[in-house]
Amino acid sequence: MSAQAAFSTEERQEQGPRLTLVPPLRSTVSTVGFALIIMALVAVGMGLVMVVTTSVAAQSKELSGLRTEATLLEYRTASLTTELQTTSATGRLATRAADLGMVPNPYPAFIRLSDGKILGEPTPVRGNEVPYLRQHELTPPTAPRIRVLAGQDDAAAPTPTLPMAPGVDQ
Amino acid sequence: MVVMALLVAVCVGRAFQLQAIDAQAFAAEASSKMQSTRELPATRGTITDRNGVVLAATEPAMRITVDPDMVASNGADKRYPMNDKKQLDAKAAPGAVARILAKHLGGQPTDYLKVLQKKKKDSKEYSRYEIVAKQVPASVWSEIQADMRKGIDADGKRPLYGLFAASDPMRTYPNGRLASNVLGFVNAEGKGVAGLEGVLEDDLDGEPGQSIYDSSRYGRIPLGTNVLTPPIDGVSYETTLDSDLQWLSEQALADGMATSGAKTGIAIVLNVKNGQILALANGPSFDPSELAGVDAGDLGNRAVTDAYEPGSVQKVLTIAALADAGLVTGDTEVVVPPQIASGGGFVRDAFSHGTINLTTRGIIAQSSNIGTIDLARRMPKDKLSQYLKDFGLGSKPNSGLPGETSGSVPGGDMADYTRDQISFGQGLSVSAVQMSAAVASVVNGGVYHQPTILKSATRADGTPVELPQPVERRVVSEKASAVTLDVMEAVIAQMGNGKRTIPGYRTAGKSGTSQRFDPKCKCYNGYTASFVGVAPAEDPQLLVYVVLDQPKNGNLGSQLALPVVNNILQAALPRYNVLPSTTPAPERPLTFD
């Protein structure tokens, strides 16, 4: 206690400013205002979430629509591909060629490009040289068949079983 | 107050049980209720010819089903009474749906009304599930759906309900019955059961995928579970077949069968240089899309499954073996008696003659059994047997086609008369593919190439699948090959008064006329006429082998099968850019003084 008393005023001044109580801060936003800000933030957040959700839903719907469209186009492509393959089948082309008056030429002849020499004997044809190609009914390629079962029993047609060749282990 | 406290306690307890104790189980149950799993079918691989022409493919298709109960009310919720408008719609719905089905699937609306109004068995209630049609192209189903949405008045205001569809892929064969015996077919479930479709089933089929997703009554939940395991489509195969040549061969074979009255027929075109089968025709054939009423015997591939005695075509192999052993040349002279003793009996030629002097060439040109026996007796039996086995007889050729027969070749300990028999094509059995490959090896400088039907295979991701390497081996020397080719050319050029040739090319060949062994009576019954032709004779590129079984109008291979062979060769040679022959066929001695 005696030591404390020994401090002079000068010494006190050298130690720093004198401590005083900080006056209470005056809040710039009232409690109600703060609540309103929070509510506004929540509202904005929820709005954003709603926008994002709506956007995702809309995009999802659009994606679903595009998927459906792609699937339909795939189906159409597959159908047209099958039609093209069937139309360009060898038997059909041969029939169409014959209908157009084209005839096969059984006499071979080649032109050798290196010297222009003709190999073989070019021979005109009348159209009856290869009778076997038109002699038999040309089996038209089968168009894909729809198996309509309406009004029938749902028993599938039995698949024939293959016979075993004598002495053959299949 | 106490009651309130109890109620709150119960609620808190239940909440605690749900949230803390059984939380995971309930969450899992809720999740499973939301989650849907859908199988994604793999697309079956295609089968194409060597030029990419599609022989078998799969098109997406649907199985259309109907809920007759739903059609009867046109989708109205039956828990509530229908107003007048809905009642009118329900009354019009079956007829409208039937008209849509008839429009797209064919037939008359009345055909469909039966199934649309079908009732449960012994009940007045409508059925809830009936099949309308199977394998309806998916594009057709899309059109049906569109019309259903347009509804009763086709203006979209009164849509129709009650039709459903499930995936039911359809196997298509754009070329119809072309090569059907090679391709085989699939059953109602889409599984290959015959031909290449059957033997390659595991690879063609692929592996189905799976889609797992969360959904509600309004469809997929956008940010929910969405796990997609894509299907692995089947392997696609490229065959060695040439579809154009296949069609030509089938036409020529059909012509030959009609002319000869043969019960069945086979035509094979083989690339001599590598053993690839360019065409393989069977008659009668079938349409793989329409199997009803087809004879079961016609569904297989007789070219590999049926074993028969080859007859005189076998002489080609006998001469090649003898030439390779240095025992004969084309000019080897043989005094051929009218008959020759064998096994306690006598063997005669198909033509009557006294004692004649024939060269080896003459023996083959005139197809002398006696001369061939005389020559064959110069070779030890075990050696002859081994040669035939080296030519591929007696074992499956492993061509890639299912159901191959091994045929049979007597061993080295065979009886003398058996050796005599097999030298001219009796007492052993072969398949047509075996015989084609064997003769091809003779004319290919003596090198055997295993016959093959598969050229390449590709996975759905484009990576190639390695196929077994075809076996290749030398059987006879080039010199022996040349000797045999020389005597085969005499069959065409020096016999038949020029009627056996084709324009532009030198060809070589050999006929076969054999009695047909009937396993039912264990006796010979009927004939098998055959002919093998190769061209051009200077350097054979293509081989054509035709077998006509049980012909009615004659039995000689040179008369019945040769025209078919020539028709095919005439078409095939220019197609494969084989240049016409520039030198005439040589005239060499068939007889001697």
Side-chain angles (χ1 to χ4, degrees):
Chain A
M1 184 64 78
S2 62
Q4 285 179 357
F7 285 124
S8 66
T9 308
E10 227 171 79
E11 284 172 327
R12 276 199 200 106
Q13 283 174 345
E14 282 173 7
Q15 283 176 354
R18 186 180 173 187
L19 293 174
T20 57
L21 285 173
V22 176
L25 280 172
R26 281 188 62 197
S27 60
T28 53
V29 182
S30 67
T31 307
V32 174
F34 178 74
L36 286 173
I37 288 171
I38 295 300
M39 282 173 71
L41 281 173
V42 169
V44 168
M46 286 180 71
L48 283 174
V49 168
M50 195 175 73
V51 168
V52 170
T53 309
T54 310
S55 170
V56 167
Q59 286 178 7
S60 173
K61 193 181 175 192
E62 188 184 350
L63 181 64
S64 173
L66 289 172
R67 275 187 182 144
T68 305
E69 193 180 338
T71 305
L72 291 178
L73 289 173
E74 270 178 32
Y75 291 165
R76 183 82 182 124
T77 305
S79 174
L80 290 173
T81 303
T82 302
E83 193 181 329
L84 178 66
Q85 288 165 353
T86 308
T87 307
S88 60
T90 306
R92 288 210 170 186
L93 288 182
T95 308
R96 287 285 296 132
D99 291 344
L100 291 170
M102 299 173 76
V103 292
N105 189 331
Y107 307 107
F110 290 80
I111 300 175
R112 192 161 60 199
L113 295 179
S114 59
D115 57 4
K117 189 178 177 185
I118 294 175
L119 303 172
E121 199 172 323
T123 309
V125 291
R126 296 182 175 190
N128 58 357
E129 287 78 4
V130 190
Y132 72 91
L133 286 185
R134 296 291 289 172
Q135 196 174 48
H136 299 277
E137 184 185 349
L138 301 177
T139 309
T142 313
R145 286 192 177 88
I146 296 169
R147 296 163 61 197
V148 176
L149 300 177
Q152 299 174 20
D153 291 335
D154 188 26
T159 303
T161 50
L162 284 173
M164 297 280 273
V168 175
D169 51 325
Q170 295 210 26
Chain B
M1 193 66 180
V2 175
V3 173
M4 279 295 290
L6 276 173
L7 270 174
V8 170
V10 168
C11 289
V12 170
R14 177 66 175 156
F16 185 76
Q17 183 199 2
L18 292 177
Q19 296 292 326
I21 301 173
D22 295 334
Q24 286 191 335
F26 281 112
E29 191 181 333
S31 173
S32 70
K33 279 185 178 172
M34 277 203 313
Q35 216 161 66
S36 301
T37 302
R38 191 160 61 95
E39 189 176 276
L40 304 173
T43 303
R44 191 175 175 84
T46 58
I47 302 176
T48 59
D49 82 343
R50 64 189 302 110
N51 300 313
V53 175
V54 175
L55 302 174
T58 295
E59 184 183 344
M62 299 292 178
R63 172 183 298 201
I64 299 181
T65 59
V66 62
D67 178 349
D69 189 61
M70 189 182 275
V71 172
S73 62
N74 196 33
D77 193 335
K78 292 168 72 178
R79 289 175 299 178
Y80 307 104
M82 288 195 282
N83 59 28
D84 292 347
K85 184 174 167 290
K86 284 189 175 177
Q87 283 184 25
L88 280 174
D89 289 355
K91 198 176 175 186
V97 174
R99 281 193 293 279
I100 290 172
L101 289 172
K103 175 184 165 189
H104 295 286
L105 303 182
Q108 298 298 319
T110 47
D111 301 338
Y112 298 94
L113 273 177
K114 280 181 194 168
V115 73
L116 294 179
Q117 296 177 319
K118 199 163 185 178
K119 295 186 174 168
K120 289 178 184 172
K121 202 174 181 184
D122 302 327
S123 170
K124 288 183 178 177
E125 287 182 23
Y126 283 107
S127 164
R128 299 305 305 263
Y129 178 86
E130 298 294 335
I131 296 175
V132 177
K134 289 181 177 177
Q135 299 193 330
V136 176
S139 59
V140 175
W141 168 243
S142 304
E143 290 167 8
I144 291 173
Q145 272 185 309
D147 278 357
M148 292 285 283
R149 278 195 294 271
K150 285 180 188 169
I152 297 168
D153 303 318
D155 57 3
K157 290 180 181 171
R158 295 198 292 165
L160 292 160
Y161 300 94
L163 290 185
F164 301 91
S167 178
D168 186 17
M170 176 171 61
R171 195 66 167 163
T172 61
Y173 300 92
N175 282 271
R177 61 177 62 205
L178 187 94
S180 55
N181 300 83
V182 174
L183 298 174
F185 53 90
V186 297
N187 62 13
E189 285 74 44
K191 302 291 178 193
V193 290
L196 292 179
E197 294 272 33
V199 76
L200 302 173
E201 167 62 20
D202 289 346
D203 293 327
L204 282 169
D205 199 32
E207 289 176 28
Q210 206 177 45
S211 174
I212 303 171
Y213 55 91
D214 287 343
S215 64
S216 68
R217 59 183 301 186
Y218 302 108
R220 288 193 182 206
I221 297 172
L223 298 177
T225 305
N226 194 359
V227 181
L228 178 74
T229 309
I232 301 172
D233 291 343
V235 174
S236 290
Y237 284 89
E238 180 190 13
T239 65
T240 58
L241 294 178
D242 173 350
S243 58
D244 287 352
L245 188 58
Q246 175 76 24
W247 181 79
L248 284 160
S249 303
E250 289 181 4
Q251 289 290 301
L253 178 65
D255 180 60
M257 288 176 64
T259 307
S260 65
K263 199 171 176 184
T264 66
I266 297 165
I268 297 171
V269 184
L270 203 68
N271 184 331
V272 166
K273 300 294 182 187
N274 56 21
Q276 290 185 355
I277 298 169
L278 303 176
L280 198 165
N282 275 264
S285 187
F286 65 93
D287 182 342
S289 300
E290 187 59 66
L291 299 175
V294 179
D295 187 330
D298 297 334
L299 292 171
N301 186 353
R302 292 189 171 94
V304 293
T305 61
D306 284 15
Y308 61 96
E309 294 188 347
S312 295
V313 174
Q314 176 70 19
K315 289 170 185 167
V316 171
L317 306 186
T318 304
I319 296 301
L322 290 165
D324 187 61
L327 299 172
V328 301
T329 67
D331 296 311
T332 300
E333 297 174 348
V334 180
V335 177
V336 180
Q339 60 184 21
I340 190 167
S342 177
F346 291 93
V347 176
R348 297 179 182 83
D349 285 330
F351 59 101
S352 299
H353 60 80
T355 299
I356 50 177
N357 296 335
L358 297 176
T359 61
T360 303
R361 196 175 299 108
I363 287 170
I364 296 301
Q366 299 197 25
S367 201
S368 168
N369 298 335
I370 300 167
T372 309
I373 290 173
D374 185 299
L375 292 172
R377 286 178 177 177
R378 302 176 188 190
M379 173 175 272
K381 289 181 286 188
D382 58 339
K383 208 169 176 185
L384 179 62
S385 175
Q386 189 55 50
Y387 268 115
L388 298 183
K389 287 173 184 167
D390 290 346
F391 279 127
L393 307 191
S395 57
K396 293 183 181 182
N398 293 320
S399 62
L401 292 162
E404 288 181 332
T405 178
S406 302
S408 67
V409 174
D413 56 350
M414 68 182 102
D416 287 349
Y417 71 87
T418 303
R419 182 264 323 278
D420 293 348
Q421 277 187 315
I422 66 172
S423 70
F424 63 90
Q426 277 189 354
L428 79 170
S429 64
V430 298
S431 71
V433 165
Q434 264 183 331
M435 201 62 193
S436 301
V439 175
S441 70
V442 170
V443 299
N444 181 39
V447 177
Y448 175 88
H449 287 284
Q450 184 182 355
T452 50
I453 194 72
L454 296 177
K455 193 161 180 249
S456 68
T458 314
R459 292 186 191 88
D461 61 7
T463 55
V465 177
E466 201 170 328
L467 295 175
Q469 278 296 310
V471 172
E472 178 186 325
R473 60 173 177 267
R474 175 167 290 285
V475 182
V476 296
S477 65
E478 281 193 50
K479 191 178 170 188
S481 169
V483 167
T484 316
L485 200 50
D486 164 22
V487 301
M488 286 174 73
E489 190 168 10
V491 174
I492 302 292
Q494 294 180 245
M495 301 296 291
N497 300 319
K499 290 180 181 172
R500 295 183 175 186
T501 58
I502 60 172
Y505 296 99
R506 285 168 51 189
T507 61
K510 182 69 193 85
S511 61
T513 306
S514 59
Q515 288 179 295
R516 184 176 177 278
F517 184 77
D518 188 342
K520 286 179 186 167
C521 65
K522 298 196 184 302
C523 62
Y524 284 110
N525 181 16
Y527 289 89
T528 301
S530 60
F531 200 94
V532 64
V534 298
E538 312 92 287
D539 179 20
Q541 310 282 319
L542 299 176
L543 174 146
V544 178
Y545 185 40
V546 170
V547 182
L548 298 170
D549 192 43
Q550 302 178 71
K552 290 176 185 160
N553 310 319
N555 56 25
L556 298 177
S558 57
Q559 288 176 3
L560 303 179
L562 170 63
V564 183
V565 169
N566 279 350
N567 282 338
I568 297 172
L569 277 176
Q570 257 182 289
L573 290 165
R575 178 170 174 75
Y576 280 84
N577 295 325
V578 178
L579 296 179
S581 300
T582 51
T583 55
E587 288 274 338
R588 295 192 175 111
L590 304 180
T591 59
F592 65 94
D593 296 326

